[in-house]
mmCIF file of all heavy atoms in Angstrom:
data_model
loop_
_atom_site.group_PDB
_atom_site.id
_atom_site.type_symbol
_atom_site.label_atom_id
_atom_site.label_comp_id
_atom_site.label_asym_id
_atom_site.label_seq_id
_atom_site.Cartn_x
_atom_site.Cartn_y
_atom_site.Cartn_z
ATOM 1 N N LYS A 350 67.380 -32.866 20.265
ATOM 2 C CA LYS A 350 68.513 -31.956 20.070
ATOM 3 C C LYS A 350 68.641 -31.496 18.634
ATOM 4 O O LYS A 350 69.533 -30.720 18.283
ATOM 5 C CB LYS A 350 69.827 -32.646 20.495
ATOM 6 C CG LYS A 350 69.991 -32.768 21.979
ATOM 7 C CD LYS A 350 71.319 -33.487 22.273
ATOM 8 C CE LYS A 350 71.454 -33.819 23.731
ATOM 9 N NZ LYS A 350 72.596 -34.712 23.983
ATOM 10 N N GLY A 351 67.809 -32.058 17.736
ATOM 11 C CA GLY A 351 67.849 -31.591 16.330
ATOM 12 C C GLY A 351 68.520 -32.580 15.373
ATOM 13 O O GLY A 351 68.653 -32.287 14.174
ATOM 14 N N VAL A 352 68.969 -33.731 15.858
ATOM 15 C CA VAL A 352 69.569 -34.747 14.975
ATOM 16 C C VAL A 352 68.450 -35.585 14.357
ATOM 17 O O VAL A 352 67.655 -36.195 15.076
ATOM 18 C CB VAL A 352 70.542 -35.676 15.758
ATOM 19 C CG1 VAL A 352 71.140 -36.728 14.821
ATOM 20 C CG2 VAL A 352 71.646 -34.884 16.423
ATOM 21 N N ARG A 353 68.370 -35.625 13.039
ATOM 22 C CA ARG A 353 67.278 -36.351 12.376
ATOM 23 C C ARG A 353 67.686 -37.802 12.093
ATOM 24 O O ARG A 353 68.419 -38.097 11.171
ATOM 25 C CB ARG A 353 66.911 -35.670 11.048
ATOM 26 C CG ARG A 353 66.119 -34.390 11.264
ATOM 27 C CD ARG A 353 65.803 -33.718 9.951
ATOM 28 N NE ARG A 353 64.880 -34.510 9.132
ATOM 29 C CZ ARG A 353 64.591 -34.240 7.873
ATOM 30 N NH1 ARG A 353 65.202 -33.230 7.269
ATOM 31 N NH2 ARG A 353 63.731 -35.000 7.202
ATOM 32 N N ILE A 354 67.187 -38.687 12.918
ATOM 33 C CA ILE A 354 67.393 -40.131 12.702
ATOM 34 C C ILE A 354 66.209 -40.845 13.336
ATOM 35 O O ILE A 354 65.732 -40.444 14.388
ATOM 36 C CB ILE A 354 68.761 -40.629 13.245
ATOM 37 C CG1 ILE A 354 68.942 -42.107 12.855
ATOM 38 C CG2 ILE A 354 68.889 -40.392 14.741
ATOM 39 C CD1 ILE A 354 70.366 -42.636 13.033
ATOM 40 N N ARG A 355 65.696 -41.882 12.691
ATOM 41 C CA ARG A 355 64.588 -42.622 13.294
ATOM 42 C C ARG A 355 64.892 -44.121 13.293
ATOM 43 O O ARG A 355 65.649 -44.589 12.448
ATOM 44 C CB ARG A 355 63.284 -42.336 12.547
ATOM 45 C CG ARG A 355 63.299 -42.731 11.118
ATOM 46 C CD ARG A 355 62.012 -42.370 10.384
ATOM 47 N NE ARG A 355 62.075 -42.942 9.033
ATOM 48 C CZ ARG A 355 61.081 -42.934 8.180
ATOM 49 N NH1 ARG A 355 59.924 -42.416 8.496
ATOM 50 N NH2 ARG A 355 61.221 -43.463 6.972
ATOM 51 N N GLU A 356 64.278 -44.825 14.224
ATOM 52 C CA GLU A 356 64.430 -46.282 14.282
ATOM 53 C C GLU A 356 63.304 -46.874 13.434
ATOM 54 O O GLU A 356 62.139 -46.527 13.608
ATOM 55 C CB GLU A 356 64.360 -46.753 15.715
ATOM 56 C CG GLU A 356 64.925 -48.151 15.953
ATOM 57 C CD GLU A 356 64.042 -49.270 15.405
ATOM 58 O OE1 GLU A 356 62.829 -49.241 15.702
ATOM 59 O OE2 GLU A 356 64.551 -50.156 14.672
ATOM 60 N N ARG A 357 63.648 -47.789 12.520
ATOM 61 C CA ARG A 357 62.695 -48.175 11.473
ATOM 62 C C ARG A 357 61.528 -49.019 12.009
ATOM 63 O O ARG A 357 60.395 -48.837 11.578
ATOM 64 C CB ARG A 357 63.437 -48.905 10.356
ATOM 65 C CG ARG A 357 62.492 -49.120 9.177
ATOM 66 C CD ARG A 357 63.179 -49.192 7.829
ATOM 67 N NE ARG A 357 62.179 -49.523 6.814
ATOM 68 C CZ ARG A 357 62.028 -50.693 6.252
ATOM 69 N NH1 ARG A 357 62.813 -51.690 6.609
ATOM 70 N NH2 ARG A 357 61.092 -50.930 5.359
ATOM 71 N N THR A 358 61.781 -49.975 12.918
ATOM 72 C CA THR A 358 60.681 -50.772 13.466
ATOM 73 C C THR A 358 59.653 -49.842 14.122
ATOM 74 O O THR A 358 58.434 -49.954 13.874
ATOM 75 C CB THR A 358 61.159 -51.807 14.511
ATOM 76 O OG1 THR A 358 62.145 -52.632 13.885
ATOM 77 C CG2 THR A 358 60.030 -52.653 15.016
ATOM 78 N N ALA A 359 60.142 -48.906 14.913
ATOM 79 C CA ALA A 359 59.251 -47.943 15.597
ATOM 80 C C ALA A 359 58.502 -47.117 14.549
ATOM 81 O O ALA A 359 57.303 -46.880 14.673
ATOM 82 C CB ALA A 359 60.060 -47.057 16.538
ATOM 83 N N ALA A 360 59.210 -46.647 13.523
ATOM 84 C CA ALA A 360 58.591 -45.795 12.497
ATOM 85 C C ALA A 360 57.458 -46.530 11.787
ATOM 86 O O ALA A 360 56.404 -45.959 11.472
ATOM 87 C CB ALA A 360 59.647 -45.342 11.476
ATOM 88 N N ILE A 361 57.639 -47.817 11.510
ATOM 89 C CA ILE A 361 56.603 -48.650 10.849
ATOM 90 C C ILE A 361 55.372 -48.750 11.756
ATOM 91 O O ILE A 361 54.231 -48.514 11.313
ATOM 92 C CB ILE A 361 57.155 -50.043 10.508
ATOM 93 C CG1 ILE A 361 58.182 -49.970 9.401
ATOM 94 C CG2 ILE A 361 56.029 -51.023 10.133
ATOM 95 C CD1 ILE A 361 59.106 -51.175 9.297
ATOM 96 N N ILE A 362 55.606 -49.038 13.033
ATOM 97 C CA ILE A 362 54.488 -49.179 13.983
ATOM 98 C C ILE A 362 53.784 -47.836 14.139
ATOM 99 O O ILE A 362 52.548 -47.765 14.144
ATOM 100 C CB ILE A 362 55.001 -49.691 15.343
ATOM 101 C CG1 ILE A 362 55.458 -51.175 15.208
ATOM 102 C CG2 ILE A 362 53.919 -49.578 16.424
ATOM 103 C CD1 ILE A 362 56.258 -51.698 16.378
ATOM 104 N N ILE A 363 54.536 -46.759 14.244
ATOM 105 C CA ILE A 363 53.962 -45.424 14.441
ATOM 106 C C ILE A 363 53.067 -45.026 13.252
ATOM 107 O O ILE A 363 51.989 -44.464 13.417
ATOM 108 C CB ILE A 363 55.083 -44.371 14.695
ATOM 109 C CG1 ILE A 363 55.699 -44.627 16.079
ATOM 110 C CG2 ILE A 363 54.571 -42.945 14.582
ATOM 111 C CD1 ILE A 363 57.056 -44.051 16.271
ATOM 112 N N GLN A 364 53.530 -45.381 12.057
ATOM 113 C CA GLN A 364 52.688 -45.100 10.884
ATOM 114 C C GLN A 364 51.367 -45.880 10.959
ATOM 115 O O GLN A 364 50.309 -45.368 10.599
ATOM 116 C CB GLN A 364 53.411 -45.449 9.580
ATOM 117 C CG GLN A 364 52.672 -44.928 8.359
ATOM 118 C CD GLN A 364 53.404 -45.148 7.042
ATOM 119 O OE1 GLN A 364 54.631 -45.216 7.032
ATOM 120 N NE2 GLN A 364 52.664 -45.245 5.967
ATOM 121 N N LYS A 365 51.438 -47.118 11.447
ATOM 122 C CA LYS A 365 50.217 -47.938 11.593
ATOM 123 C C LYS A 365 49.301 -47.393 12.671
ATOM 124 O O LYS A 365 48.085 -47.545 12.617
ATOM 125 C CB LYS A 365 50.615 -49.401 11.903
ATOM 126 C CG LYS A 365 51.221 -50.106 10.713
ATOM 127 C CD LYS A 365 51.906 -51.399 11.102
ATOM 128 C CE LYS A 365 50.965 -52.561 11.261
ATOM 129 N NZ LYS A 365 50.605 -53.218 10.017
ATOM 130 N N VAL A 366 49.885 -46.782 13.697
ATOM 131 C CA VAL A 366 49.089 -46.257 14.830
ATOM 132 C C VAL A 366 48.437 -44.909 14.456
ATOM 133 O O VAL A 366 47.265 -44.693 14.730
ATOM 134 C CB VAL A 366 49.963 -46.088 16.107
ATOM 135 C CG1 VAL A 366 49.179 -45.380 17.213
ATOM 136 C CG2 VAL A 366 50.460 -47.442 16.601
ATOM 137 N N PHE A 367 49.190 -44.008 13.848
ATOM 138 C CA PHE A 367 48.714 -42.642 13.655
ATOM 139 C C PHE A 367 48.175 -42.318 12.259
ATOM 140 O O PHE A 367 47.721 -41.214 12.017
ATOM 141 C CB PHE A 367 49.830 -41.647 14.035
ATOM 142 C CG PHE A 367 50.104 -41.618 15.497
ATOM 143 C CD1 PHE A 367 51.261 -42.213 16.015
ATOM 144 C CD2 PHE A 367 49.218 -41.023 16.389
ATOM 145 C CE1 PHE A 367 51.516 -42.195 17.386
ATOM 146 C CE2 PHE A 367 49.458 -40.995 17.742
ATOM 147 C CZ PHE A 367 50.607 -41.594 18.240
ATOM 148 N N THR A 368 48.293 -43.267 11.324
ATOM 149 C CA THR A 368 47.706 -43.023 9.987
ATOM 150 C C THR A 368 46.922 -44.267 9.557
ATOM 151 O O THR A 368 47.051 -45.332 10.150
ATOM 152 C CB THR A 368 48.801 -42.753 8.932
ATOM 153 O OG1 THR A 368 49.351 -43.996 8.471
ATOM 154 C CG2 THR A 368 49.933 -41.876 9.442
ATOM 155 N N ASP A 369 46.122 -44.109 8.527
ATOM 156 C CA ASP A 369 45.404 -45.266 7.978
ATOM 157 C C ASP A 369 46.098 -45.820 6.747
ATOM 158 O O ASP A 369 45.555 -46.676 6.060
ATOM 159 C CB ASP A 369 43.968 -44.851 7.626
ATOM 160 C CG ASP A 369 43.132 -44.574 8.880
ATOM 161 O OD1 ASP A 369 43.380 -45.223 9.907
ATOM 162 O OD2 ASP A 369 42.287 -43.671 8.834
ATOM 163 N N ASN A 370 47.319 -45.345 6.485
ATOM 164 C CA ASN A 370 48.093 -45.865 5.344
ATOM 165 C C ASN A 370 49.118 -46.892 5.834
ATOM 166 O O ASN A 370 50.136 -46.503 6.398
ATOM 167 C CB ASN A 370 48.803 -44.726 4.608
ATOM 168 C CG ASN A 370 47.800 -43.784 3.950
ATOM 169 O OD1 ASN A 370 46.860 -44.259 3.322
ATOM 170 N ND2 ASN A 370 47.977 -42.512 4.140
ATOM 171 N N ASP A 371 48.770 -48.149 5.693
ATOM 172 C CA ASP A 371 49.693 -49.196 6.175
ATOM 173 C C ASP A 371 50.971 -49.191 5.324
ATOM 174 O O ASP A 371 50.892 -49.174 4.088
ATOM 175 C CB ASP A 371 49.004 -50.557 6.075
ATOM 176 C CG ASP A 371 49.774 -51.611 6.839
ATOM 177 O OD1 ASP A 371 50.805 -52.102 6.305
ATOM 178 O OD2 ASP A 371 49.382 -51.939 7.973
ATOM 179 N N PRO A 372 52.141 -49.210 5.964
ATOM 180 C CA PRO A 372 53.398 -49.181 5.187
ATOM 181 C C PRO A 372 53.679 -50.471 4.450
ATOM 182 O O PRO A 372 54.664 -50.596 3.723
ATOM 183 C CB PRO A 372 54.481 -48.878 6.243
ATOM 184 C CG PRO A 372 53.864 -49.322 7.549
ATOM 185 C CD PRO A 372 52.390 -49.168 7.400
ATOM 186 N N ASN A 373 52.818 -51.482 4.641
ATOM 187 C CA ASN A 373 52.952 -52.800 3.991
ATOM 188 C C ASN A 373 54.318 -53.433 4.281
ATOM 189 O O ASN A 373 54.955 -54.002 3.390
ATOM 190 C CB ASN A 373 52.723 -52.682 2.484
ATOM 191 C CG ASN A 373 52.445 -54.050 1.834
ATOM 192 O OD1 ASN A 373 52.072 -55.001 2.541
ATOM 193 N ND2 ASN A 373 52.642 -54.155 0.548
ATOM 194 N N PHE A 374 54.751 -53.319 5.514
ATOM 195 C CA PHE A 374 55.943 -54.034 5.961
ATOM 196 C C PHE A 374 55.505 -55.482 6.188
ATOM 197 O O PHE A 374 54.655 -55.745 7.009
ATOM 198 C CB PHE A 374 56.502 -53.408 7.239
ATOM 199 C CG PHE A 374 57.784 -54.042 7.713
ATOM 200 C CD1 PHE A 374 58.966 -53.948 6.972
ATOM 201 C CD2 PHE A 374 57.823 -54.744 8.913
ATOM 202 C CE1 PHE A 374 60.141 -54.523 7.416
ATOM 203 C CE2 PHE A 374 58.992 -55.332 9.350
ATOM 204 C CZ PHE A 374 60.157 -55.229 8.604
ATOM 205 N N LEU A 375 56.066 -56.403 5.408
ATOM 206 C CA LEU A 375 55.485 -57.733 5.257
ATOM 207 C C LEU A 375 55.500 -58.561 6.552
ATOM 208 O O LEU A 375 54.726 -59.496 6.704
ATOM 209 C CB LEU A 375 56.174 -58.469 4.122
ATOM 210 C CG LEU A 375 56.094 -57.750 2.777
ATOM 211 C CD1 LEU A 375 56.903 -58.467 1.724
ATOM 212 C CD2 LEU A 375 54.675 -57.564 2.301
ATOM 213 N N ASP A 376 56.398 -58.219 7.489
ATOM 214 C CA ASP A 376 56.477 -58.971 8.763
ATOM 215 C C ASP A 376 55.465 -58.468 9.791
ATOM 216 O O ASP A 376 55.209 -59.152 10.779
ATOM 217 C CB ASP A 376 57.876 -58.815 9.378
ATOM 218 C CG ASP A 376 58.933 -59.482 8.554
ATOM 219 O OD1 ASP A 376 58.596 -60.041 7.496
ATOM 220 O OD2 ASP A 376 60.143 -59.437 8.934
ATOM 221 N N LEU A 377 54.918 -57.268 9.571
ATOM 222 C CA LEU A 377 53.986 -56.687 10.544
ATOM 223 C C LEU A 377 52.662 -56.358 9.854
ATOM 224 O O LEU A 377 52.289 -55.209 9.721
ATOM 225 C CB LEU A 377 54.577 -55.421 11.190
ATOM 226 C CG LEU A 377 55.729 -55.609 12.174
ATOM 227 C CD1 LEU A 377 56.291 -54.265 12.626
ATOM 228 C CD2 LEU A 377 55.305 -56.419 13.397
ATOM 229 N N ARG A 378 52.010 -57.402 9.374
ATOM 230 C CA ARG A 378 50.681 -57.225 8.782
ATOM 231 C C ARG A 378 49.917 -58.551 8.911
ATOM 232 O O ARG A 378 50.509 -59.566 9.265
ATOM 233 C CB ARG A 378 50.748 -56.769 7.321
ATOM 234 C CG ARG A 378 51.524 -57.668 6.403
ATOM 235 C CD ARG A 378 51.417 -57.310 4.946
ATOM 236 N NE ARG A 378 50.713 -58.370 4.208
ATOM 237 C CZ ARG A 378 50.660 -58.437 2.872
ATOM 238 N NH1 ARG A 378 51.212 -57.519 2.153
ATOM 239 N NH2 ARG A 378 50.036 -59.438 2.288
ATOM 240 N N SER A 379 48.628 -58.486 8.685
ATOM 241 C CA SER A 379 47.801 -59.702 8.861
ATOM 242 C C SER A 379 46.928 -59.863 7.634
ATOM 243 O O SER A 379 46.126 -59.008 7.317
ATOM 244 C CB SER A 379 46.922 -59.510 10.093
ATOM 245 O OG SER A 379 45.942 -60.535 10.181
ATOM 246 N N PRO A 380 47.097 -61.001 6.855
ATOM 247 C CA PRO A 380 48.159 -61.990 7.007
ATOM 248 C C PRO A 380 49.520 -61.431 6.568
ATOM 249 O O PRO A 380 49.564 -60.386 5.960
ATOM 250 C CB PRO A 380 47.698 -63.126 6.056
ATOM 251 C CG PRO A 380 46.853 -62.428 5.026
ATOM 252 C CD PRO A 380 46.198 -61.280 5.742
ATOM 253 N N CYS A 381 50.594 -62.165 6.886
ATOM 254 C CA CYS A 381 51.942 -61.689 6.527
ATOM 255 C C CYS A 381 52.129 -61.766 5.009
ATOM 256 O O CYS A 381 51.230 -62.185 4.285
ATOM 257 C CB CYS A 381 53.000 -62.546 7.241
ATOM 258 S SG CYS A 381 53.244 -64.178 6.499
ATOM 259 N N GLY A 382 53.268 -61.363 4.538
ATOM 260 C CA GLY A 382 53.486 -61.266 3.104
ATOM 261 C C GLY A 382 53.854 -62.533 2.387
ATOM 262 O O GLY A 382 53.984 -62.564 1.159
ATOM 263 N N ALA A 383 54.043 -63.631 3.123
ATOM 264 C CA ALA A 383 54.536 -64.885 2.499
ATOM 265 C C ALA A 383 53.645 -65.346 1.346
ATOM 266 O O ALA A 383 52.484 -65.672 1.542
ATOM 267 C CB ALA A 383 54.647 -65.976 3.552
ATOM 268 N N GLY A 384 54.195 -65.350 0.135
ATOM 269 C CA GLY A 384 53.488 -65.858 -1.022
ATOM 270 C C GLY A 384 52.479 -64.924 -1.614
ATOM 271 O O GLY A 384 52.116 -65.044 -2.784
ATOM 272 N N ILE A 385 51.963 -63.961 -0.823
ATOM 273 C CA ILE A 385 50.958 -63.026 -1.362
ATOM 274 C C ILE A 385 51.459 -61.569 -1.376
ATOM 275 O O ILE A 385 50.855 -60.701 -1.986
ATOM 276 C CB ILE A 385 49.617 -63.129 -0.605
ATOM 277 C CG1 ILE A 385 49.826 -62.831 0.899
ATOM 278 C CG2 ILE A 385 48.971 -64.472 -0.797
ATOM 279 C CD1 ILE A 385 48.512 -62.591 1.656
ATOM 280 N N GLY A 386 52.577 -61.321 -0.677
ATOM 281 C CA GLY A 386 53.176 -59.975 -0.683
ATOM 282 C C GLY A 386 54.585 -60.034 -1.225
ATOM 283 O O GLY A 386 55.091 -59.087 -1.820
#
Side-chain angles (χ1 to χ4, degrees):
K350 286 180 187 169
V352 179
R353 285 178 67 191
I354 185 165
R355 61 182 186 174
E356 198 287 312
R357 189 152 175 256
T358 302
I361 289 160
I362 291 167
I363 289 159
Q364 190 175 333
K365 288 166 82 82
V366 173
F367 290 105
T368 81
D369 291 326
N370 294 315
D371 192 281
N373 197 19
F374 184 66
L375 302 175
D376 293 1
L377 288 175
R378 57 172 245 191
S379 170
C381 76
I385 58 167

